[in-house]
Amino acid sequence: LGRLVPDRSWTALPVVGVSEQGSVAVGPVFACAIVGPQKTVKCWGSSDIGELGPKQSKQSDLVDVPGLDDAQELALGSNKNGCTQCGGVGFVCARRGDGTVWCAGANNAGQLGDGGTTPRAFAQAVPGVSGALQISSYGTSASVCVRSQGDKVQCWGDGVTSPVTIG
């Protein structure tokens, strides 16, 4: 909820520190918003492995996600599909104004698109993705898909046995 206490509310509460926001995305364990003229990404909620930036653990107040600026659209997800041995669960990807996609957080299923499974507290560009026009992730899935110029679709992560490109 953008605050440590209360951790739930039955009525709408403002998220303190989020103003001039663009889009807002909500995942199973945390939420993020694009804010301000630099279009940085601020998130709040669970941060088991630093998916909300370094030195964040468990529940967090509003924090900047390092490396996510000029964000145009967000995709959040988790690997909560019954995986009790996976460690941290959340990840965030942002489609930037230059058409690249940058991701941070949990990476046990390759959901950061970097070809590995090491989690990252600092966002990095997804190799091979350019001209992105749209990004999407299913909330309880560790997979991401991007639609790029020329109607090309690229997907990576859970349930994708190898990086997929359509188009």
Side-chain angles (χ1 to χ4, degrees):
L1 295 176
R3 60 189 82 216
L4 292 175
V5 177
D7 65 351
R8 72 179 65 175
S9 175
W10 304 116
T11 60
L13 295 174
V15 178
V16 178
V18 175
S19 59
E20 300 180 32
Q21 75 270 7
S23 68
V24 176
V26 178
V29 293
F30 63 94
C32 298
I34 299 171
V35 299
Q38 270 70 42
K39 298 184 179 180
T40 58
V41 175
K42 291 188 181 285
C43 298
W44 57 96
S46 178
S47 186
D48 293 332
I49 60 163
E51 54 265 60
L52 304 186
K55 300 181 184 175
Q56 303 299 325
S57 63
K58 299 301 175 191
Q59 300 296 313
S60 84
D61 283 324
L62 199 64
V63 295
D64 290 309
V65 179
L68 293 184
D69 56 357
D70 191 26
Q72 307 298 308
E73 185 179 20
L74 300 173
L76 278 61
S78 76
N79 59 6
K80 284 197 156 240
N81 289 333
C83 181
T84 58
Q85 308 295 317
C86 293
V89 296
F91 69 96
V92 57
C93 294
R95 178 180 58 84
R96 295 176 68 171
D98 63 2
T100 59
V101 172
W102 290 59
C103 298
N107 197 23
N108 64 294
Q111 61 265 45
L112 301 186
D114 61 2
T117 57
T118 302
R120 287 200 308 259
F122 292 89
Q124 293 182 2
V126 177
V129 175
S130 63
L133 301 171
Q134 184 179 13
I135 186 170
S136 182
S137 178
Y138 180 66
T140 57
S141 171
S143 58
V144 178
C145 289
V146 172
R147 183 179 63 85
S148 300
Q149 295 169 346
D151 286 330
K152 180 169 76 171
V153 176
Q154 295 172 281
C155 299
W156 58 88
D158 190 30
V160 181
T161 55
S162 62
V164 174
T165 300
I166 303 168

